[in-house]
Amino acid sequence: MKPPPFRYAAPRSVAEALALLAEYGPEAKVLAGGQSLVPLLNMRLVRPEVIVDINRIGRLAYLRRRGDRLLVGALTRQREVEGSPLVARAVPLLAEAIRLVGHPQIRNRGTVGGSIAHADPAAELPAVLAALDGDVVVVGPAGTRVIGWTHFFTGYLTTAVGPDELVTEVRFPLPPPRSGSAFLEVARRHGDFALVGVAALVQREDGRMAAARLAFTGVGPGPLRAPEAEAFLAGREPTPEVLAEAGRLAAAPLEPPEDIHATAAYRKEVAAVLVRRALAAAWERSATRPRAGRSRAPRAGASERAPGG
Ligand SMILES: Cc1cc2nc3c(=O)[nH]c(=O)nc-3n(C[C@H](O)[C@H](O)[C@H](O)COP(=O)(O)OP(=O)(O)OC[C@H]3O[C@@H](n4cnc5c(N)ncnc54)[C@H](O)[C@@H]3O)c2cc1C
């Protein structure tokens, strides 16, 4: 199908984009990579009056490490993140998860800001943000807001971003020292959205898990953490029994969707298994990736790629 008619604007600065969004409000739609928006337009599920194409705002594309955070400009292509040695070193969980987003063609165009702003309930990047307790930077007429992930994702395909606001940056905190991470998912075919996905992050201390974090995708209206399982794991040795119990505790409160792809019961079962496996993988990696944490932060603001490059 073809999209409905719309006006097209290609602002060259954030200020210009904001002026357009202020003028058109909910009648405007931001276009980043177009990998979600264009199908929605073609299916006529959205009918904006104007498309605000932000692709010429080069300064929104960057990868930068500042202190204990990886800052990703909203327009940074997913493929750029995937191939970045900085990301692989600083936030291995993000590097691993992003390879599971669609196919290379999709990641060539798809942006980090677009994935976060679109907030698909089965997307990988929101779960990574949740596992790392990250933030999203949003600018609008009232200035800049830094929104923690818990307040950013407000429901199914909805976020705290207003119609006159733009996501400009996604901030991923670096994992703590002596930590390991893993992102596992089950999808019907390679490149499909996950039926269930799990991000796990564990911190190792004297043969025990000093702390663990778990975030799900595909089993709720947005990314979900597993607080009961996380509390259970803290301070425990990761024996097979402990990991299995963590899987049970993490899956128990889930109320996953039921659709043509899988039943809710199947998704819950898979969630428990993935938690167990992701924790085991993360634990193993915590022994071999001791330097992936915050202890080796290079100089503040070190940038791998110049803004707009
Ligand atoms: C076949 C296929 C398979 C896919 N598989 C996966 C998958 O497995 N996992 C996954 O996570 N994703 C998947 N995707 C989606 C892909 O990751 C998209 O790239 C992503 O969801 C949206 O990013 P985008 O840059 O393309 O945004 P767009 O499509 O341009 O925009 C998406 C939405 O976000 C808004 N938006 C975009 N940028 C901003 C901004 N800076 N500020 C405010 N609002 C903004 C737009 O207005 C729109 O509403 C798939 C897509 C396709 C076509």
Side-chain angles (χ1 to χ4, degrees):
M1 263 180 90
K2 289 199 169 80
F6 53 78
R7 273 198 54 211
Y8 172 82
R12 290 186 178 272
S13 67
V14 169
E16 260 182 60
L18 290 181
L20 284 158
L21 294 179
E23 188 181 342
Y24 289 93
E27 304 307 321
K29 268 280 171 202
V30 171
L31 174 77
Q35 298 304 296
S36 296
L37 183 60
V38 171
L40 289 173
L41 284 168
N42 287 346
M43 287 186 273
R44 302 201 171 199
L45 293 171
V46 290
R47 292 168 173 269
E49 198 178 314
V50 61
I51 292 283
V52 179
D53 179 351
I54 59 171
N55 281 276
R56 290 189 196 164
I57 313 179
R59 78 170 190 84
L60 286 181
Y62 55 86
L63 283 168
R64 204 174 284 155
R65 182 167 169 174
R66 188 186 297 150
D68 63 359
R69 266 154 215 271
L70 176 75
L71 312 183
V72 184
L75 199 58
T76 310
R77 307 287 167 197
Q78 293 156 5
R79 197 77 164 146
E80 188 84 31
V81 172
E82 181 184 351
S84 158
L86 169 65
V87 176
R89 218 170 37 241
V91 189
L93 181 63
L94 174 60
E96 183 178 7
I98 211 149
R99 284 183 216 117
L100 300 169
V101 175
H103 302 281
Q105 294 87 336
I106 289 153
R107 302 195 292 273
N108 276 337
R109 292 302 300 165
T111 65
V112 172
S115 175
I116 295 291
H118 188 57
D120 191 292
E124 287 81 4
L125 300 192
V128 172
L129 200 68
L132 294 169
D133 277 326
D135 305 307
V136 184
V137 182
V138 169
V139 296
T144 301
R145 300 197 285 150
V146 180
I147 310 173
W149 77 271
T150 44
H151 292 107
F152 184 82
F153 299 105
T154 52
Y156 179 80
L157 290 175
T158 52
T159 70
V161 183
D164 52 0
E165 289 183 312
L166 197 64
V167 173
T168 54
E169 185 175 280
V170 186
R171 295 182 174 170
F172 297 92
L174 270 51
R178 296 186 310 283
S179 65
S181 60
F183 195 106
L184 296 182
E185 70 178 35
V186 167
R188 284 173 66 88
R189 288 174 309 191
H190 172 70
D192 277 5
F193 276 101
L195 294 177
V196 184
V198 174
L201 178 72
V202 302
Q203 196 175 2
R204 176 186 281 260
E205 205 172 277
D206 301 331
R208 291 174 188 274
M209 291 186 175
R213 291 195 227 152
L214 292 163
F216 285 114
T217 187
V219 289
L224 293 177
R225 286 279 289 270
E228 292 88 354
E230 291 176 8
F232 167 77
L233 287 165
R236 288 190 198 262
E237 215 180 303
T239 61
E241 295 74 28
V242 163
L243 299 190
E245 178 62 5
R248 202 192 61 73
L249 285 171
L254 299 179
E255 293 176 5
E258 180 129 3
D259 54 30
I260 52 162
H261 303 299
T263 62
Y266 174 79
R267 283 190 163 96
K268 264 179 105 134
E269 187 75 31
V270 170
V273 173
L274 287 184
V275 163
R276 178 164 53 79
R277 291 184 188 166
L279 283 169
W283 175 254
E284 206 177 305
R285 290 169 184 178
S286 71
T288 55
R289 280 204 208 136
R291 290 181 292 178
R294 292 171 179 161
S295 56
R296 272 171 48 95
R299 69 189 163 80
S303 176
E304 174 168 290
R305 190 158 66 91

